[in-house]
Structures are given as structure tokens and as C-alpha cells.
Amino acid sequence: MSKEFFLGRGSGEYPSKDPDRRQDSDTPHRRVGYTLKGYTSNLFLSLFDQQEIFNSLDYYATSLDSDSTDYNFFSEVRLILVKNLNRLSKALQDFEVSEIAKLGMLDAGRAAFYEYRMSYQRKIVTDIQDRLMAIGRLSQLTGQVDIIKVLLLQAWVIDIQLKTNTLELLAEKGKKFSSSSGKGLDALGNILLNLMQQHGKDTGKKQILKLLEDMADTSSEQAVIREVDYENKLVYWSRFTPTAFDTIGNRLSKYKKKYF
């Protein structure tokens, strides 16, 4: 099958479901001159493109499970959507890493290994992917089509905001992605507070030191945590600024009272 795929008629008129009335030329799909490669540049190329896909999803949601042709065409549309959602998810993850680095949590080169948190926007994108991939027959699309369309519209807005540098990441609906960082905290303070929020407010000093040691990087000038020196009981951070282990413990106690 060509990498070009078929969508619903632009007129919005679909043929009869009666097989006796359907002619070879009376197909519920028409070729759109975009390739899979072309679609990876955006979730939808245009408002017309979005309407065509939504019309197609509506049509497939009323198809019979026995109609393997319709399921194959639905799979083509799903493939394109999932490919573009994968691209958007990766772009969001990269943006999250950059935001984490700004908070002083990790340098951008190492943040990707920690998967510190997923933004509300990336959860929306992941939800759509999961819903689409869970559809094994067209009758399963029937009860999902409306919520899938709503989520796709949300993802489209997210995609546009990301590309126009107007996206503000959210940790959850109405809560800023960066709201966990304390106002006025230095880079080390941001890291300690974020670790407490990730691992629990009662996380002890020894565990925090181990986590700091795991993210330490002496080879990168951009790294926030540079070294955990157990012999001298010092944590070196940013430009090798030293902070004593006891001071780390005091900060943990202070942050527990103030932020939890």
C-alpha cells in the first residue's frame, strides 16, 4: 500500500453501508496528496486536514467489525496520528528536560536519564496514543471517538504553542510544571526540594546524598552537582561551591516544614 493514505470525502457525504449499493467507485475514502513523511511536520497540516481526519474517524466508528477494508484504512490514519504524536511527545520531553535544567534539578545532558516528571501536556499526548493503540476492532472506536477527537484538538493546540514558544508546561491541570521550586532557592536548594517531592518529604540525609552522588558530574561545566566528597563531608555544586553534609541535613528539615 502506498504511503499516501485515504480519508473521508471532503463533501462530508459518505456512501451507503449497504454492500449491495456500494460500487467500486463509491468508496468512503479519497486520496489526499500527503505522505507520511509530510505529516510528521505537524499534528494536522491545516484546519481542513483536521476536519478530514475527524470525518474519517466518525465514519470508521460506524463501520462493522467484519469490514476489514475499513479497519485497514483506519489503521492507516492511526499510523499517521501515532507517528505525529510520537514526534510531539519527544519534543515535549525535550522541553521538560530543559525546564528541569533551568530549575537546577539536573544539567540538560543528564536530565533525560532521570525522567523526573511528565508534564500534563505530555500526559494528554500519551493518553491519545494509548487509546488509539488499544483499538483492535472498529466497534471499540465507537465509544472512544468523541474523547479521542477532543484530546486531538488539545494536542494540536499544544503542538502549535510549543512551536511558537508560547507553551507553559503544567504539572497537572492548573498547576505550573515548575511550581515545586521554592521561591528564592539557589540551585542546590531547588534540587533538594525536588528530590524530597519525588522521593517523599521524610527522605533522609543519607539517601539524599546518594541521589546527589548519582547525578554528580565533574566533566560538565553545566552540571549543578559536581561532586559528593564523603571524606571531607562536603557536596560541591555549580562552580565547585562546597556545602557541608550537616548543612544539607538542616536544609532538608527546613524545607520539610516550609513546603510540605
Side-chain angles (χ1 to χ4, degrees):
M1 181 177 290
S2 167
K3 283 188 177 180
E4 293 178 330
F5 76 101
F6 299 82
L7 295 178
R9 292 169 180 252
S11 65
E13 295 181 1
Y14 293 96
S16 170
K17 291 288 186 180
D18 185 348
D20 295 332
R21 295 179 58 192
R22 181 179 295 181
Q23 305 295 323
D24 290 340
S25 61
D26 189 22
T27 172
H29 316 283
R30 73 178 181 85
R31 186 180 299 272
V32 176
Y34 302 130
T35 64
L36 291 179
K37 182 178 179 181
Y39 267 91
T40 59
S41 64
N42 216 329
L43 184 58
F44 300 120
L45 292 181
S46 65
L47 182 59
F48 173 78
D49 179 43
Q50 173 262 314
Q51 291 173 331
E52 287 280 270
I53 290 179
F54 279 22
N55 285 341
S56 297
L57 290 175
D58 285 336
Y59 177 84
Y60 301 133
T62 62
S63 297
L64 299 176
D65 285 336
S66 58
D67 193 334
S68 60
T69 301
D70 275 358
Y71 183 79
N72 289 338
F73 280 123
F74 162 72
S75 297
E76 286 284 312
V77 175
R78 174 171 62 182
L79 174 62
I80 289 170
L81 290 173
V82 170
K83 283 174 69 74
N84 291 339
L85 290 166
N86 283 339
R87 173 197 55 75
L88 177 55
S89 180
K90 178 61 170 62
L92 285 169
Q93 184 177 10
D94 291 343
F95 188 38
E96 290 165 6
V97 168
S98 68
E99 291 299 294
I100 292 169
K102 288 178 184 177
L103 294 176
M105 178 61 189
L106 295 167
D107 67 280
R110 291 170 59 84
F113 293 101
Y114 283 83
E115 287 290 329
Y116 178 66
R117 67 171 82 122
M118 181 186 292
S119 67
Y120 174 67
Q121 286 92 334
R122 187 150 65 99
K123 288 176 184 176
I124 289 175
V125 174
T126 301
D127 186 15
I128 309 171
Q129 292 173 297
D130 291 344
R131 289 174 184 270
L132 287 171
M133 296 310 298
I135 296 171
R137 57 183 185 273
L138 292 174
S139 59
Q140 293 176 328
L141 177 62
T142 304
Q144 293 278 333
V145 67
D146 288 337
I147 184 62
I148 286 174
K149 290 192 295 183
V150 170
L151 291 171
L152 282 171
L153 286 175
Q154 292 177 332
W156 191 18
V157 172
I158 291 169
D159 198 11
I160 293 171
Q161 289 177 330
L162 187 62
K163 289 180 177 178
T164 56
N165 297 317
T166 58
L167 179 66
E168 181 179 15
L169 288 177
L170 300 174
E172 56 189 66
K173 192 171 184 179
K175 182 178 179 181
K176 290 185 179 180
F177 185 73
S178 59
S179 62
S180 60
S181 293
K183 210 168 187 181
L185 293 182
D186 57 23
L188 177 61
N190 279 327
I191 288 179
L192 295 177
L193 180 56
N194 278 285
L195 287 176
M196 292 175 72
Q197 292 181 324
Q198 182 181 9
H199 297 278
K201 65 178 182 179
D202 294 319
T203 306
K205 182 174 69 175
K206 287 185 178 180
Q207 185 179 352
I208 292 292
L209 289 173
K210 180 62 172 63
L211 292 169
L212 294 177
E213 184 182 13
D214 289 342
M215 68 175 67
D217 185 359
T218 58
S219 63
S220 172
E221 293 185 358
Q222 303 302 317
V224 177
I225 304 301
R226 308 301 297 271
E227 181 184 356
V228 177
D229 181 354
Y230 285 96
E231 183 178 351
N232 296 303
K233 297 185 178 180
L234 293 172
V235 173
Y236 291 92
W237 54 283
S238 292
R239 296 182 179 274
F240 281 96
T241 303
T243 296
F245 284 5
D246 286 345
T247 302
I248 297 289
N250 292 337
R251 285 202 189 200
L252 295 176
S253 298
K254 176 182 177 182
Y255 298 161
K256 180 179 178 179
K257 294 178 182 178
K258 186 173 182 179
Y259 297 110
F260 294 91

